[in-house]
Amino acid sequence: MCNEINVGDVEVENYGMLKDIDMDEEGGKYAAICFQDVSIRNWFKADRERLSAMGLEMFLQEMRDVFLASDWQETVEREVYASQQGSQPFLEWVTAIETKNAQLPATARLSYDRLRCQLPSRLNEVLYRALRASPYRDFMASKPTEHQRNFR
């Protein structure tokens, strides 16, 4: 459910930008259309008037309180901190960690620099040697791309 809420959150923000809507004022009114989960849609329908009057941040916080376990943030943090590459291709693994990290509230996320510093110790040794010989070898020393800055 955490991933569903994160994906919906991004879709709500994109919808607001496309339609030039002030999501701080009217976010709750438009937010529910961006979530595909039936239980979220039913929850919204049951209390449409109150939820529609909320700004986006307030709406999303209430939705997290209703649908996510009380320890969801700690669980996601542990998954980010403990992630090991295993046999995953490097870029898939990094993308999965960045996605998990983005699910956290801004105050709990690892910065791009901290995340980048954590990765070398978690690499599969064989794949790390192959990475050093590939075009992606400069990833650890690179600055964040525009996509990565916006992703956080």
Side-chain angles (χ1 to χ4, degrees):
M1 182 62 79
C2 186
N3 194 45
E4 166 73 22
I5 291 174
N6 187 51
V7 168
D9 184 3
V10 171
E11 289 180 13
V12 170
E13 289 179 13
N14 290 340
Y15 181 81
M17 285 188 295
L18 287 171
K19 299 292 185 178
D20 199 26
I21 298 168
D22 182 0
M23 296 307 267
D24 292 333
E25 295 292 321
E26 303 179 276
K29 188 183 331 181
Y30 298 99
I33 65 171
C34 296
F35 293 94
Q36 301 303 311
D37 186 84
V38 173
S39 56
I40 292 175
R41 287 179 175 255
N42 289 339
W43 167 73
F44 182 80
K45 286 177 189 174
D47 202 2
R48 180 185 308 266
E49 195 171 311
R50 185 180 68 83
L51 295 171
S52 292
M54 293 181 175
L56 180 61
E57 287 305 314
M58 186 183 229
F59 175 87
L60 291 173
Q61 185 57 51
E62 180 150 344
M63 188 170 52
R64 287 182 185 107
D65 291 345
V66 169
F67 288 99
L68 299 179
S70 60
D71 67 341
W72 75 269
Q73 184 174 328
E74 293 82 13
T75 301
V76 173
E77 285 174 353
R78 279 194 314 273
E79 290 172 2
V80 169
Y81 290 127
S83 178
Q84 298 284 330
Q85 182 183 8
S87 61
Q88 283 182 297
F90 176 74
L91 290 179
E92 286 180 22
W93 174 61
V94 170
T95 301
I97 292 174
E98 287 179 335
T99 301
K100 282 281 183 199
N101 194 44
Q103 292 174 356
L104 295 168
T107 55
R109 289 181 198 148
L110 285 175
S111 69
Y112 178 81
D113 290 335
R114 287 204 54 210
L115 191 59
R116 191 180 72 206
C117 289
Q118 177 182 326
L119 295 177
S121 65
R122 310 244 188 268
L123 288 171
N124 174 305
E125 188 60 36
V126 172
L127 295 176
Y128 179 67
R129 281 190 232 118
L131 172 67
R132 290 181 57 187
S134 80
Y136 302 112
R137 67 184 169 278
D138 296 329
F139 176 82
M140 297 300 174
S142 68
K143 296 289 184 206
T145 65
E146 187 65 31
H147 168 72
Q148 290 161 331
R149 278 192 294 274
N150 291 336
F151 189 65
R152 286 173 289 188

